[in-house]
Amino acid sequence: TIIRLHLKEQDTKPPTLDNIAEKLNTSTSTLKRSLSQHNTNYQEILDEVRKDLACTYLTKENIPIALIAAKLHFSQISNFRKAFKRWTGHTPQDYRALYKLQRLD
């Protein structure tokens, strides 16, 4: 939960695992072990936070998908599209359209 909060409050590039460990006043290896005990890792948490933010941006704000990709620190929009499809099974465009249709029902 603490890691998710640190990631969500970042306007700049997401912090590294080393940065998070330093903020939590622990070593990187201890943090990795702790995450492993909870059956997760830093990349999974980062992906989850990015997915949640992407879904929020696509449904709550009317901003271009390219800007969403940039806000989530993807180097290219195609990388964002691939990641979003992996996370949700939908492209960002389809996800936004499905959300709009559901609101009309």
Side-chain angles (χ1 to χ4, degrees):
T1 302
I2 293 170
I3 294 172
R4 284 179 186 85
L5 291 173
H6 281 292
L7 291 171
K8 284 184 179 182
E9 67 188 24
Q10 290 295 315
D11 286 336
T12 60
K13 192 172 182 177
T16 64
L17 184 62
D18 293 337
N19 298 136
I20 296 285
E22 187 177 321
K23 285 183 180 185
L24 297 175
N25 226 8
T26 190
S27 71
T28 302
S29 58
T30 299
L31 182 55
K32 282 183 182 179
R33 249 190 326 277
S34 179
L35 292 173
S36 179
Q37 289 171 350
H38 288 91
N39 298 317
T40 192
N41 61 51
Y42 179 70
Q43 188 61 52
E44 287 177 5
I45 294 170
L46 179 59
D47 284 347
E48 182 182 311
V49 167
R50 288 169 114 183
K51 177 189 140 212
D52 291 346
L53 288 171
C55 290
T56 298
Y57 294 148
L58 288 166
T59 59
K60 305 279 189 244
E61 299 181 27
N62 192 22
I63 59 176
I65 291 170
L67 184 55
I68 294 171
K71 286 178 86 156
L72 297 175
H73 309 290
F74 282 90
S75 59
Q76 297 189 5
I77 190 170
S78 61
N79 294 338
F80 170 63
R81 285 187 179 116
K82 288 175 192 172
F84 193 83
K85 179 134 185 169
R86 186 178 68 246
W87 298 332
T88 66
H90 301 283
T91 64
Q93 295 87 341
D94 290 346
Y95 186 88
R96 181 176 267 168
L98 286 169
Y99 178 79
K100 286 180 181 178
L101 282 175
Q102 288 176 349
R103 288 188 56 199
L104 294 175
D105 290 343

